[in-house]
Amino acid sequence: MLAPPHTVPKTSSGKIRRLAARDYYERGPSAVKSRAVWWQFVRLAVGSVLPAAAPRLAGRAGAAVRRLRVAALRRAVHRGPGRGRDSPGKRTWQVAQRCARFFFRLCRIPLAVRGQENLPPSGAVVIASNHTSYLDGAVLLAILPWRNNAFVAKRELREGFITRTFVAGLGAQFVERFDVQKSAGDADELAQAAKRGVSLIVFPEGTLVRHTGLMPFRAGAFLSAAQAGIPVVPVALRGVRSVLRDGTWYPRRAPISVTVGAPVAPDGSDWNAAVRLRDQVRKQILRHCGEPDLS
């Protein structure tokens, strides 16, 4: 097949082939640079070693977070009530946040945040984000300030020692995805936590897939927000899927943008109010995430 210079190769369905071709198409010729042979060998070596080493590294990271949490708790107990302003959760969050920011700098992955002024200065909120990659949590961890935060995670993560240690170390709230009665109970528990001042970080799609697109939102977190009477802050992640797509372990260098939307307050506390709240938040995320609507 003959093609003129600067042609961008695509598949029969119109998808652009290869990362370099896509970068050329999106950012121009200056984005595509020839790589030395030795660098290509290094990437192949890292790509083959990283999947085997990842569980061990994750275990060590989870153990480190757990030790930090225990140490901070001991310091708080020794201080006694009223002698310190920082909670153990805040210290754990700050340490994990530094690690997340260092990771993105080390990988030379630019992280741009817009609309951070939309975060309310005080009070509990629900932060709802689209779910595109296993790095989504690290991105939110890197950019969100501490406000008694708690990730809402699927209950299956409690079954693995590594994931349970790491996620629980950040004060996660675990919820059931498949049992309807347990899911309703979890929504009530989340509402009670929000009333106590906990800011919940949720991925309302409930899961992630390899292909692009914004999936339908589950209503549980929005029902909790409606019952607690707190606003939901939409957060649109863009580019994280290109960095670490589902089914891969080796992160690729690509820009990530985060758009924090205006908070949406519930107009009631019943199921219908939760559905309206969900639809408004999803509409904002869909506008900024740069992916098609799969609902």
Side-chain angles (χ1 to χ4, degrees):
M1 181 183 67
L2 299 178
H6 309 299
T7 297
V8 178
K10 296 184 179 181
T11 64
S12 58
S13 61
K15 296 179 180 177
I16 301 172
R17 295 170 49 196
R18 303 184 61 84
L19 181 62
R22 189 184 64 191
D23 287 342
Y24 188 98
Y25 180 79
E26 293 179 346
R27 292 185 284 170
S30 60
V32 181
K33 299 179 180 179
S34 58
R35 302 291 183 183
V37 176
W38 67 269
W39 175 247
Q40 297 181 32
F41 277 111
V42 169
R43 291 190 62 184
L44 288 174
V46 172
S48 61
V49 172
L50 188 60
R56 184 178 299 177
L57 294 175
R60 292 181 179 178
V65 171
R66 189 176 181 179
R67 287 195 296 269
L68 287 170
R69 190 175 179 85
V70 171
L73 180 60
R74 287 175 178 172
R75 287 194 296 269
V77 170
H78 289 319
R79 282 198 183 105
R83 297 180 62 184
R85 293 180 299 173
D86 294 343
S87 66
K90 180 177 181 179
R91 290 194 180 89
T92 305
W93 182 273
Q94 290 174 337
V95 172
Q97 186 173 72
R98 294 190 188 101
C99 294
R101 291 175 176 176
F102 175 74
F103 168 78
F104 289 114
R105 286 197 299 267
L106 182 65
C107 296
R108 298 173 63 188
I109 297 173
L111 192 61
V113 184
R114 292 178 294 180
Q116 201 159 14
E117 66 278 2
N118 288 323
L119 287 171
S122 61
V125 297
V126 173
I127 297 173
S129 171
N130 55 317
H131 203 6
T132 63
S133 168
Y134 288 113
L135 281 180
D136 292 341
V139 173
L140 296 179
L141 185 61
I143 63 107
L144 291 177
W146 165 256
R147 51 191 307 151
N148 201 15
N149 301 327
F151 280 97
V152 178
K154 57 185 180 182
R155 197 175 298 274
E156 298 95 286
L157 293 179
R158 296 175 60 178
E159 299 174 359
F161 173 76
I162 296 175
T163 54
R164 181 179 67 248
T165 303
F166 183 76
V167 179
L170 293 173
Q173 301 279 335
F174 295 98
V175 296
E176 174 63 45
R177 295 191 299 165
F178 305 110
D179 190 307
V180 176
Q181 293 183 347
K182 291 182 179 179
S183 296
D186 290 335
D188 294 336
E189 292 181 7
L190 293 179
Q192 294 301 319
K195 290 178 181 179
R196 295 194 301 268
V198 177
S199 290
L200 305 171
I201 304 173
V202 301
F203 299 105
E205 291 170 279
T207 187
L208 63 90
V209 292
R210 184 178 177 85
H211 58 268
T212 60
L214 187 66
M215 294 183 292
F217 281 7
R218 301 170 186 262
F222 302 98
L223 180 60
S224 300
Q227 292 176 348
I230 61 175
V232 178
V233 179
V235 176
L237 303 179
R238 187 168 185 169
V240 193
R241 196 190 303 272
S242 299
V243 174
L244 188 68
R245 193 174 290 269
D246 183 26
T248 62
W249 285 96
Y250 182 73
R252 298 178 178 271
R253 191 170 59 194
I256 295 175
S257 66
V258 183
T259 303
V260 181
V264 182
D267 58 4
S269 59
D270 58 359
W271 175 259
N272 291 330
V275 171
R276 291 191 296 270
L277 181 62
R278 178 198 64 186
D279 293 343
Q280 293 179 53
V281 171
R282 189 177 186 277
K283 184 178 180 180
Q284 284 201 43
I285 294 177
L286 182 63
R287 186 184 307 134
H288 299 288
C289 71
E291 296 191 351
D293 189 353
L294 299 182
S295 63

